[in-house]
Amino acid sequence: MRGLKLIERFKSTQVHALSPPEASTTGGGGGGGSTGSKLSNHKRIKFIGLKSNKNTNSVSTAQVLLPYGFPTTTTDLIEPSIDPHLKPIHYVKALADIYRRLKSCLESDKSLLYMEQYANLCGLGDAKLLRRCLRSARQFAVDVHTKVLLSAWLRFERREDELVGVSSMDCSGFILECPKAALVSGYDPNSVYDHCKCYEEHTSLIESQSVVQNECLSLEEDRDVTFLIGDQEVNFIRDKIAALSSPFKAMLYGDFVESTRNKIDFTEDGISVKAMNAVEVYSRTRRVDVFCPEIVVELLSFANRFCCEEMKSASDAHLASLVGDVEDALILIEYGFEGRANLLVASCLQVLLRELPSSLHNPKVMKLFCSSATRERLANVGHASFLLYYFLSQVAMEENIVSDTMVTLLERLEECATERWQRMLAFHQLGCVMLQRKEYKDARYYFEAAAEVGHVYSLAGLARAKYKQGQQYSAYKLMNSLIAEYKTTGWMYQERSLFNLGKEKIADLDTATELDPTLSFPYKYRAVAKLEERQIRAAISEIDRIIGFKLSVDCLELRAWFFIAVEDYESALRDILAVLTLEPKYVMSHGRMNGDRLVELLRHQVQQWSPVDCWMQLYDRWSCVDDIGSLAVIHQMLANDPGKSFLRFRQSLLLLRLNCQKAAMRCLRFARNHSSSEHERLVYEGWILYDTGHREEALSSAEKSILIERSFEAFFLKAYILADTSLDSESSSYVIQLLEEALKCPSDGLRKGQALNNLGSIYVDCGKLDLAANCYTNALDIKHTRAHQGLARVFYLKNQRKAAYDEMTKLIEKAHNSASAFEKRSEYCEQEMAKNDLNMATQLDPLRTYPYRYRAAVLMDDQKETEAVDELTKAIAFKPDLQMLHLRAAFYESMGDLNSALQDSEAALCLDPNHMETLDLHSRALDRVTHQQ
């Protein structure tokens, strides 16, 4: 009966959800002259006018700020996109399988396995984890092609193209990213942290060239064979040229007539006199680097024709060393194809790849990469691979996912796919692109192909394509069958909600949020539905729920529209400025309104701040832990003074706190580029190095900066890096000394508050509680509100538990985002109150893992084993975290479920292969399984 009712409901061509048809036809359409559009504009004006009696002014403001109207629940403008990455249906099982294969495979196979791991982890969005996968893949790369590719990929991930004064072929000093090291075949897996020796190699090359030139001039031996080219002669030593290859040896010493002649005609063999002279010099010196490139190209062709393998290798290597820029690469790669010169083609590819993303906009480069014929030519010299087109398509996806270039690169990707995961990825991404391009027939084909190979998540894309073609009930049935067949996840209910109606749609969205609170669409839909019901404050509260723990530009933009609806222009401006900090080129209203234009319009509605006002506002927001507000203030300060690198640095700190790693690194690069002095530039480069895993190099940058000028930021950076490891008493004393030196240097209260807070933490670790309390108190005096947490810890260690609780309560009352404060306060109260605080922490930020682990541990202590495992499983489903996987593995081990314990520990080790506690647990479980067998 339920199915029959659904069939009737799906006869409608438009789902109207919570809004009547006449009120919901605007959405994001541009047709301002339609009746539906006029009705919607009238409704929007009523919203704006709710707060003010000056309706005429409100109407004018609405028309200016909202020319395209509000998003509605019936439009696809708030619809979530299909994730273009692999999404295993059993994530933990997939990670464990990769770990097992990595432990048992040949070392030569590890590089590709690490890239499979990369593909599976892409959906998590953890930049550091993905970079580690790339580094591991590069570490175990054996062939030149893979090394060149992964070195360029690592450079792209660092976005070194954004660093002023850095060339694409510059060596960063790390062997894994060195362009010269990439052109050397073979590998040493222990060299992952080694520095390259580019300078030494350059010096020895100059010296050797000098030696060769002298040798070419000075060596005079009797020539006993002459090669004729036209009417010119080139004299050779017969033994020397015979030694170049088997064909020459046979010709000069075998049964051929040339063996009895002193003059041999080479006129018809297509080599110039100059090149033949070069062959003669090479036959004596075995060097080609004294000749001009044109001659070496001829030597390469000659070597191919007469099987002179050593000469070919030397010519190949020398030409490879000459590729300096994109134009060189585009010219020389053709000679590489013709001469089947593997190293030359690799060197040309390296230049083109290290110029990404800018080389994507070069038509000649894209013609090279996109052509099916060129892919075959690349294959002939060993340089067409799945990884090459995977890298190119990833870069293209960031630039423009619906471009023709994107489609062509993915088609090449699919042609190169050989393994199952590669075919899944290629088909799925082609489906995603076709869906975005509204080519629904092709999207269905590719999603079906991906699903047939085993990528279950692609069925969500198939359902979406069917829905776009008007087959709503078929799409609903497909998602319904998924929910019935597999262990349900949040995305399944989210997808089914798109094809559902009324209360059942809301029920699906609520279930999706319960299973995976990180999905943004359910919050957005519920918020827009409340807007349509004129419950604007409730709409703001709904979207606040996800913004509180997961910052994204689409949710911030949506909240800005809601604030405009209630004439809270200051809050709207704050959110738009935060959006532009995250994505400076973001365009509002789904690509129809420039963000800077909206900022300009909003500024007419709010009071303008002077530079002094901005600093006061920044202090206020920083002190109440309003990170989004702080971002907006800094954005406004930079608009007045864009060259202030320290403001860019402040942006990066806030963005890291908000878990926006890419945006944070971009701000750090801006700070570095706008540095007014060498010592300042070194500090920002140090932070970039530290955040990308190069701790020793970061420390060196800090020390160089201090030698130039003693500054707060240089001392702070050095102290921060040293405090990142387990400190003994001597190391702790040194870090304390560094922080004290930092506090003696000029800086503002915001940074000094952070330094005092860090200093207090070191004192606590050393057991100097009174000194720590003094640091925290001084930090609070300059409005560093987070120092409440440190002071609470001091009280707790002094057995003043009530004082510790009260101190954390003060932080909760002051902080805008207080999830971490609730979590920390739970340590200072009784179990029932702790449970309430941790529940509140989870409600405010479901991504925090400690509350789940605490609740699971309490349940385990109460011998509620199943409930304890379920508590962790609930969180692992949307956040496969190392600590939670380790704890669940330990629970399984204690319950005797050793297979599950092994699977969880292997998945955890896939995330961090060096986690000692998990390694021990895995070893114990494996021993017990082996013993039982």
Side-chain angles (χ1 to χ4, degrees):
M1 292 298 293
R2 184 172 183 271
L4 290 172
K5 290 179 181 178
L6 280 169
I7 291 172
E8 287 297 316
R9 289 159 59 204
F10 278 108
K11 286 181 179 178
S12 169
T13 58
Q14 176 69 42
V15 184
H16 297 300
L18 302 177
S19 304
E22 64 274 11
S24 59
T25 51
T26 49
S34 69
T35 305
S37 179
K38 291 176 182 176
L39 285 169
S40 180
N41 282 336
H42 176 67
K43 180 179 179 182
R44 184 177 73 247
I45 292 164
K46 282 186 178 180
F47 282 167
I48 295 288
L50 288 176
K51 187 179 176 183
S52 173
N53 293 324
K54 299 178 181 179
N55 289 328
T56 305
N57 186 50
S58 296
V59 169
S60 174
T61 303
Q63 291 172 339
V64 171
L65 295 177
L66 294 165
Y68 303 105
F70 285 107
T72 68
T73 53
T74 58
T75 180
D76 61 1
L77 295 182
I78 62 170
E79 185 178 282
S81 59
I82 296 292
D83 189 339
H85 307 296
L86 291 181
K87 190 189 285 285
I89 197 76
H90 301 296
Y91 214 102
V92 173
K93 183 179 179 181
L95 294 182
D97 176 63
I98 291 172
Y99 178 79
R100 281 193 297 272
R101 285 186 285 141
L102 278 167
K103 295 300 289 184
S104 61
C105 73
L106 297 173
E107 289 208 333
S108 58
D109 295 332
K110 284 188 175 181
S111 186
L112 193 58
L113 261 175
Y114 277 117
M115 289 310 300
E116 181 180 349
Q117 182 186 35
Y118 174 92
N120 278 277
L121 294 174
C122 268
L124 298 181
D126 187 329
K128 290 186 177 180
L129 192 58
L130 294 177
R131 185 167 181 80
R132 201 194 71 213
C133 292
L134 288 176
R135 285 171 65 86
S136 297
R138 169 63 183 86
Q139 178 186 358
F140 287 96
V142 179
D143 59 286
V144 167
H145 171 75
T146 307
K147 292 168 82 170
V148 161
L149 174 62
L150 292 172
S151 293
W153 203 330
L154 281 164
R155 183 183 189 277
F156 175 76
E157 289 298 318
R158 288 165 63 91
R159 298 300 197 275
E160 287 193 9
D161 60 292
E162 294 182 12
L163 296 178
V164 171
V166 176
S167 167
S168 63
M169 295 304 289
D170 283 349
C171 178
S172 62
F174 312 121
I175 199 166
L176 291 191
E177 297 175 40
C178 174
K180 289 184 179 178
L183 293 173
V184 179
S185 188
Y187 78 114
D188 176 7
N190 297 318
S191 68
V192 60
Y193 297 114
D194 289 355
H195 288 268
C196 58
K197 299 177 181 178
C198 290
Y199 177 78
E200 290 86 342
E201 289 174 4
H202 176 70
T203 304
S204 62
L205 180 61
I206 293 172
E207 293 171 352
S208 63
Q209 285 180 347
S210 176
V211 171
V212 171
Q213 287 175 330
N214 293 334
E215 188 178 348
C216 294
L217 295 172
S218 62
L219 188 62
E220 294 292 339
E221 293 184 29
D222 292 334
R223 273 79 165 177
D224 53 356
V225 63
T226 300
F227 285 81
L228 302 174
I229 299 175
D231 57 357
Q232 297 192 52
E233 298 181 352
V234 181
N235 298 316
F236 281 80
I237 301 169
R238 186 178 291 265
D239 287 348
K240 298 290 185 183
I241 192 167
L244 292 180
S245 70
S246 296
F248 272 122
K249 185 176 182 180
M251 180 174 68
L252 296 172
Y253 287 105
D255 297 330
F256 294 96
V257 294
E258 286 85 356
S259 64
T260 61
R261 294 179 179 176
N262 292 327
K263 292 188 177 182
I264 300 170
D265 190 359
F266 250 49
T267 304
E268 302 300 324
D269 283 279
I271 187 169
S272 68
V273 174
K274 287 184 179 180
M276 201 63 186
N277 275 306
V279 172
E280 190 280 324
V281 172
Y282 176 82
S283 71
R284 290 185 289 108
T285 66
R286 291 298 194 268
R287 300 298 293 266
V288 299
D289 50 3
V290 293
F291 308 120
C292 66
E294 292 79 7
I295 295 299
V296 181
V297 167
E298 283 199 71
L299 291 181
L300 178 65
S301 177
F302 181 90
N304 266 317
R305 192 176 307 122
F306 293 99
C307 304
C308 305
E309 293 303 323
E310 189 178 339
M311 183 192 292
K312 177 181 178 180
S313 296
S315 302
D316 188 6
H318 180 63
L319 289 171
S321 71
L322 300 178
V323 187
D325 56 32
V326 170
E327 291 306 312
D328 289 344
L330 290 171
I331 293 168
L332 288 171
I333 199 169
E334 291 298 323
Y335 292 113
F337 288 146
E338 291 171 13
R340 298 179 67 85
N342 180 287
L343 202 61
L344 175 56
V345 174
S347 185
C348 294
L349 273 181
Q350 177 163 251
V351 170
L352 301 178
L353 294 174
R354 289 174 74 92
E355 285 285 348
L356 290 169
S358 62
S359 55
L360 272 182
H361 306 291
N362 185 321
K364 292 180 181 178
V365 174
M366 282 302 97
K367 182 179 179 181
L368 175 74
F369 284 134
C370 292
S371 165
S372 183
T374 304
R375 186 192 72 80
E376 292 179 8
R377 297 177 77 190
L378 284 168
N380 288 336
V381 288
H383 287 292
S385 69
F386 177 85
L387 291 186
L388 170 65
Y389 291 102
Y390 186 18
F391 178 29
L392 290 168
S393 61
Q394 288 289 99
V395 179
M397 192 177 293
E398 289 189 16
E399 296 288 301
N400 183 3
I401 194 171
V402 296
S403 67
D404 292 340
T405 296
M406 180 80 240
V407 175
T408 308
L409 289 173
L410 286 176
E411 288 173 348
R412 301 291 84 78
L413 181 75
E414 187 266 321
E415 290 169 1
C416 292
T418 55
E419 299 195 14
R420 181 169 165 268
W421 72 270
Q422 295 174 351
R423 294 197 299 275
M424 286 194 297
L425 182 65
F427 287 135
H428 181 71
Q429 291 196 335
L430 274 164
C432 290
V433 171
M434 293 305 177
L435 189 65
Q436 292 265 28
R437 287 164 62 99
K438 300 183 179 180
E439 298 175 21
Y440 302 126
K441 182 178 179 181
D442 288 338
R444 286 182 63 169
Y445 169 79
Y446 288 119
F447 282 132
E448 284 176 342
E452 284 175 10
V453 184
H455 194 235
V456 176
Y457 175 64
S458 292
L459 292 174
L462 176 60
R464 197 82 70 89
K466 286 184 173 184
Y467 172 65
K468 296 296 184 182
Q469 291 182 310
Q471 301 174 32
Q472 297 171 14
Y473 184 56
S474 177
Y476 177 88
K477 283 200 303 180
L478 180 56
M479 290 313 303
N480 220 26
S481 66
L482 265 183
I483 290 171
E485 184 175 351
Y486 295 97
K487 183 177 180 180
T488 54
T489 57
W491 64 261
M492 293 180 184
Y493 282 93
Q494 173 179 274
E495 290 301 313
R496 192 176 73 173
S497 75
L498 298 174
F499 323 127
N500 221 330
L501 300 170
K503 291 181 180 180
E504 292 181 0
K505 185 184 192 80
I506 294 296
D508 273 353
L509 289 170
D510 290 344
T511 303
T513 298
E514 183 182 345
L515 293 172
D516 185 353
T518 67
L519 297 171
S520 62
F521 173 69
Y523 301 94
K524 290 164 66 176
Y525 183 91
R526 288 187 294 258
V528 173
K530 287 178 170 64
L531 177 77
E532 291 178 346
E533 295 170 356
R534 319 280 179 92
Q535 301 173 28
I536 308 176
R537 289 296 176 188
I540 293 171
S541 297
E542 180 63 34
I543 206 69
D544 277 346
R545 289 174 59 195
I546 190 165
I547 289 175
F549 66 90
K550 185 183 178 184
L551 201 60
S552 63
V553 291
D554 55 336
C555 291
L556 278 171
E557 181 190 2
L558 190 59
R559 190 171 72 173
W561 299 134
F562 296 159
F563 281 127
I564 290 173
V566 292
E567 294 184 335
D568 186 351
Y569 301 125
E570 188 172 313
S571 295
L573 179 60
R574 175 203 64 200
D575 283 355
I576 297 302
L577 291 176
V579 165
L580 294 176
T581 301
L582 289 169
E583 291 188 24
K585 297 179 182 179
Y586 190 75
V587 184
M588 311 292 167
S589 297
H590 294 270
R592 293 173 298 182
M593 188 174 192
N594 187 278
D596 290 329
R597 172 60 180 160
L598 183 56
V599 168
E600 183 184 338
L601 294 172
L602 283 168
R603 279 188 172 144
H604 291 301
Q605 307 297 324
V606 301
Q607 181 180 350
Q608 298 301 299
W609 294 338
S610 68
V612 174
D613 293 331
C614 285
W615 274 107
M616 292 177 64
Q617 292 290 337
L618 182 57
Y619 266 90
D620 288 342
R621 282 158 175 72
W622 199 284
S623 66
C624 64
V625 199
D626 177 9
D627 294 332
I628 295 175
S630 298
L631 276 181
V633 175
I634 292 176
H635 192 285
Q636 188 160 331
M637 294 166 80
L638 281 166
N640 299 326
D641 197 352
K644 291 292 186 184
S645 57
F646 73 89
L647 290 175
R648 296 285 186 186
F649 177 56
R650 298 295 166 79
Q651 277 185 328
S652 72
L653 297 175
L654 289 163
L655 289 164
L656 281 175
R657 193 182 291 163
L658 291 163
N659 200 30
C660 302
Q661 294 182 30
K662 280 192 174 181
M665 291 302 293
R666 186 185 64 246
C667 289
L668 264 180
R669 289 189 291 273
F670 267 115
R672 181 263 188 203
N673 290 342
H674 289 90
S675 299
S676 58
S677 63
E678 177 70 7
H679 76 87
E680 190 180 20
R681 181 182 64 80
L682 283 166
V683 168
Y684 300 139
E685 285 184 356
W687 281 112
I688 291 171
L689 288 163
Y690 176 76
D691 287 337
T692 52
H694 301 291
R695 183 177 176 276
E696 294 303 320
E697 292 78 10
L699 195 59
S700 176
S701 287
E703 289 167 346
K704 289 176 184 176
S705 181
I706 291 169
L707 287 174
I708 297 171
E709 183 172 325
R710 297 165 65 84
S711 69
F712 173 91
E713 292 298 350
F715 279 117
F716 186 89
L717 171 61
K718 186 174 180 180
Y720 193 93
I721 296 168
L722 291 174
D724 188 30
T725 56
S726 299
L727 297 175
D728 54 29
S729 58
E730 184 179 348
S731 300
S732 296
S733 297
Y734 186 48
V735 172
I736 289 170
Q737 182 185 338
L738 289 169
L739 288 171
E740 288 173 343
E741 290 296 326
L743 289 165
K744 293 175 185 176
C745 299
S747 187
D748 58 75
L750 299 176
R751 292 299 284 153
K752 289 204 170 185
Q754 183 65 59
L756 285 165
N757 199 60
N758 289 13
L759 183 56
S761 297
I762 304 296
Y763 278 135
V764 168
D765 292 340
C766 295
K768 300 176 181 179
L769 300 183
D770 290 336
L771 288 173
N774 186 53
C775 286
Y776 293 130
T777 302
N778 289 338
L780 288 170
D781 288 342
I782 53 177
K783 294 189 174 182
H784 189 77
T785 308
R786 284 183 172 84
H788 283 298
Q789 183 168 317
L791 195 54
R793 186 181 174 201
V794 170
F795 286 136
Y796 179 72
L797 292 172
K798 288 184 174 183
N799 293 319
Q800 299 173 21
R801 196 166 180 172
K802 174 68 166 57
Y805 182 89
D806 292 341
E807 201 65 35
M808 290 308 302
T809 302
K810 292 176 186 176
L811 178 56
I812 289 169
E813 291 169 351
K814 291 180 182 179
H816 274 224
N817 188 348
S818 54
S820 63
F822 276 107
E823 179 182 300
K824 195 66 181 175
R825 191 176 72 170
S826 70
E827 298 179 20
Y828 309 136
C829 53
E830 300 302 323
Q831 189 176 92
E832 195 58 38
M833 293 175 67
K835 183 180 177 181
N836 292 336
D837 273 356
L838 290 173
N839 288 342
M840 179 59 73
T842 297
Q843 184 179 328
L844 294 172
D845 183 356
L847 290 174
R848 303 190 73 84
T849 62
Y850 174 74
Y852 302 100
R853 290 186 282 126
Y854 176 89
R855 289 189 290 262
V858 170
L859 289 166
M860 202 68 180
D861 287 343
D862 293 340
Q863 297 184 341
K864 298 178 179 178
E865 296 174 336
T866 303
E867 292 90 333
V869 168
D870 288 346
E871 177 67 25
L872 294 172
T873 302
K874 178 173 61 178
I876 289 170
F878 61 86
K879 185 178 173 63
D881 172 79
L882 169 68
Q883 296 290 345
M884 287 193 290
L885 285 167
H886 170 80
L887 186 58
R888 193 172 71 172
F891 287 175
Y892 279 133
E893 183 191 26
S894 69
M895 295 162 62
D897 187 349
L898 298 178
N899 288 328
S900 295
L902 280 174
Q903 181 169 281
D904 275 359
S905 58
E906 286 162 350
L909 291 170
C910 190
L911 300 174
D912 183 359
N914 299 316
H915 191 253
M916 291 306 302
E917 292 179 352
T918 307
L919 284 168
D920 291 342
L921 190 155
H922 180 263
S923 179
R924 288 196 311 270
L926 196 59
D927 287 344
R928 288 178 62 185
V929 168
T930 304
H931 180 72
Q932 287 179 0
Q933 290 175 345

